[in-house]
Amino acid sequence: MYFSAIRLQHFRNYEALELTPLRGTTVLYGANGSGKTNLLEAMHLLSVGRSHRTAVDREMISEGKSVAFVHGQTQRLDGRHELEVRLYPLVKPQKRVLLFGKPAERITDMMGHATTVMFGPEDLRIVRDGPAARRRFIDMQLSQIRPSYLKALKRYLSALESRNALLKAQRCGTDGDVDAQLDAWDEQLAGAAVFVVEPRRWFLTELAQNAAAQYAAIAENPGETFEMRYVGHLATTETPYRQMLEGLKRTRNEDKQRMYTTYGPHRDDLALLLCGKELRAYGSQGQLRTAVLSMKLGEIALIENEMGETPTLLLDDVFSELDARRRNALLQSAQGVQTFLTCTDKADAAGAKADAYYRVTVRDGFAVLQQE
Ligand SMILES: Nc1ncnc2c1ncn2[C@@H]1O[C@H](COP(=O)(O)OP(=O)(O)OP(=O)(O)O)[C@@H](O)[C@H]1O
Ligand SMILES: [Mg+2]
């Protein structure tokens, strides 16, 4: 797939932008703070319904404005798709989605119209940060490939919230048969957990294979192996429903004490191993970068295999950081893939074989794109 049109209004430092990108590689270059990442963020928002750098949607609305529009047109194998996200700072709902010009019933309906793979400096957090960063990575990528996954995840998280609320209420001495109510929530939660764990297991098995192959090709050192392993209470069981029910039962007293649910896929993690040792502690800076690059390249291959579509690749500030071998691996994987690449100097993108160059500048406080 590729973006054939992008329109922004009152989005970050864009007052208004209309862009008809090419199918190939587009370079966005300009000074720090000019608005390059903002444009990639808009495409990311269209693909997964949220920013890659903030959980607060309001931050994306231009200061002092009452609504931001992000409109995109994509060409997919089945034809042209049209989608729009509107963000409101003050009125509810604060995020609205239009598909083909009509309001979508749920935000999750927007998945599957635009597919992106973003690779930026903050991706190193997948390795460095705690398990939540890795779960976010899994959830965002998997939702794009399997839109039904996001619905399943929401169902699970909503049951989890209710169970946690009950655990809090019982600590505060609310009457009623708490155990009977917990029994009911345990069943709901276990039922929902199955539809979270199975797709995660599938996704991570596939991605691990692709990423390991990419890493091996880049590192060119047979002794240096990169492994990704799914870690979690239900990561390997053949009977996730039963195991979840048993786990919840086993931890119920502890949960009552702590007032939250300690067992289940909301505690999942991803082990990243270099030569069998923990990458975060053992790997060098360059090895960490290569591992993340391998995961991204593996993801492109996975999307292509699974969906029969290429994603749009959003490369924020990373191209100039890579050495020749890593650049080549990236360009190889990006063949035939619509790519947006940001850098501060046009010369940094030399070798990217770009089809279009845009200079991003700030005029009267707003970002302006000039094609060169
Ligand atoms: N809600 C907003 N309203 C108006 N301007 C905003 C808003 N949010 C961010 N900005 C502005 O957008 C600019 C940052 O844009 P962006 O992150 O795209 O820069 P960049 O070109 O990627 O820079 P760098 O090369 O440093 O990464 C900043 O000048 C910031 O003040
Ligand atoms: Mg930037």
Side-chain angles (χ1 to χ4, degrees):
M1 75 116 233
Y2 65 97
F3 282 94
S4 50
I6 297 159
R7 234 172 36 230
L8 308 180
Q9 219 183 324
H10 301 153
F11 181 84
R12 296 261 188 204
N13 68 340
Y14 287 86
E15 185 177 38
L17 174 79
E18 284 194 29
L19 191 68
T20 43
L22 298 170
R23 215 182 157 150
T25 299
T26 298
V27 170
L28 303 161
Y29 70 97
N32 293 139
S34 53
K36 306 178 296 290
T37 302
N38 292 346
L39 181 51
L40 303 193
E41 184 181 37
M43 286 183 264
H44 190 272
L45 175 68
L46 287 173
S47 64
V48 295
R50 52 188 282 186
S51 162
H52 67 292
R53 55 178 171 180
T54 176
V56 185
D57 292 332
R58 208 173 42 241
E59 285 175 13
M60 290 182 277
I61 307 169
S62 298
E63 271 162 47
K65 295 297 171 189
S66 54
V67 57
F69 296 89
V70 178
H71 179 97
Q73 237 175 49
T74 59
Q75 292 291 336
R76 300 183 74 91
L77 292 176
D78 61 358
R80 192 164 63 98
H81 290 232
E82 208 182 308
L83 67 162
E84 183 171 305
V85 178
R86 296 182 182 176
L87 304 171
Y88 298 84
L90 301 170
V91 289
K92 291 204 165 161
Q94 290 181 314
K95 179 154 61 188
R96 299 173 207 187
V97 173
L98 282 84
L99 297 172
F100 299 97
K102 295 199 185 79
E105 261 178 55
R106 286 168 296 264
I107 301 288
T108 50
D109 292 342
M110 73 179 294
M111 305 300 295
H113 298 278
T115 312
T116 60
V117 172
M118 164 85 83
F119 181 26
E122 62 290 321
D123 279 316
L124 283 180
R125 297 178 58 177
I126 300 169
V127 183
R128 290 203 178 119
D129 284 10
R134 286 179 285 282
R135 283 194 297 270
R136 202 175 317 121
F137 162 76
I138 297 168
D139 292 341
M140 286 226 230
Q141 305 317 316
L142 183 48
S143 309
Q144 293 204 72
I145 300 174
R146 297 255 173 103
S148 61
Y149 171 76
L150 189 56
K151 288 178 190 155
L153 180 66
K154 290 207 162 177
R155 224 171 17 247
Y156 175 80
L157 293 176
S158 145
L160 179 67
E161 206 179 301
S162 303
R163 188 180 190 271
N164 286 342
L166 182 61
L167 289 166
K168 274 200 191 81
Q170 59 87 32
R171 252 328 258 273
C172 303
T174 312
D175 294 335
D177 189 349
V178 173
D179 281 310
Q181 288 183 62
L182 280 173
D183 283 344
W185 280 119
D186 287 3
E187 276 177 31
Q188 287 241 11
L189 204 55
V194 174
F195 294 96
V196 172
V197 169
E198 283 181 345
R200 280 186 182 175
R201 204 187 292 180
W202 165 81
F203 173 71
L204 291 172
T205 307
E206 297 287 317
L207 187 64
Q209 266 176 21
N210 289 351
Q214 294 284 356
Y215 193 99
I218 298 171
E220 277 187 341
N221 172 4
E224 198 177 317
T225 56
F226 174 53
E227 259 178 280
M228 296 170 64
R229 215 177 286 153
Y230 183 18
V231 179
H233 299 122
L234 311 177
T236 53
T237 177
E238 291 294 317
T239 51
Y241 180 78
R242 219 177 53 215
Q243 176 133 340
M244 180 76 180
L245 268 187
E246 285 168 6
L248 288 170
K249 207 153 259 141
R250 218 174 31 248
T251 53
R252 183 175 288 188
N253 281 335
E254 185 187 343
D255 287 0
K256 282 178 172 173
Q257 289 298 318
R258 294 201 193 190
M259 296 186 285
Y260 69 82
T261 306
T262 52
Y263 194 91
H266 57 287
R267 308 288 295 276
D268 277 356
D269 198 358
L270 179 59
L272 302 172
L273 306 171
L274 186 69
C275 306
K277 300 191 185 74
E278 199 188 348
L279 175 64
R280 178 176 24 182
Y282 175 76
S284 73
Q285 191 84 315
Q287 286 168 325
L288 254 71
R289 279 179 201 281
T290 303
V292 176
L293 174 64
S294 306
M295 288 164 76
K296 298 287 165 173
L297 302 183
E299 218 178 293
I300 297 173
L302 179 51
I303 289 171
E304 286 175 350
N305 287 341
E306 186 61 18
M307 306 175 90
E309 294 262 14
T310 53
T312 290
L313 183 58
L314 308 173
L315 298 175
D316 196 16
D317 277 338
V318 289
F319 194 71
S320 57
E321 301 274 312
L322 301 171
D323 66 18
R325 197 189 295 168
R326 285 161 184 78
R327 255 183 220 201
N328 281 336
L330 184 56
L331 292 173
Q332 197 96 35
S333 292
Q335 261 177 26
V337 173
Q338 183 183 43
T339 304
F340 291 85
L341 189 157
T342 75
C343 47
T344 43
D345 271 315
K346 194 176 178 183
D348 292 341
K353 300 190 195 100
D355 303 285
Y357 288 87
Y358 287 91
R359 183 186 168 78
V360 187
T361 51
V362 179
R363 215 179 284 158
D364 301 326
F366 298 112
V368 179
L369 259 61
Q370 288 167 290
Q371 192 165 7
E372 303 221 326

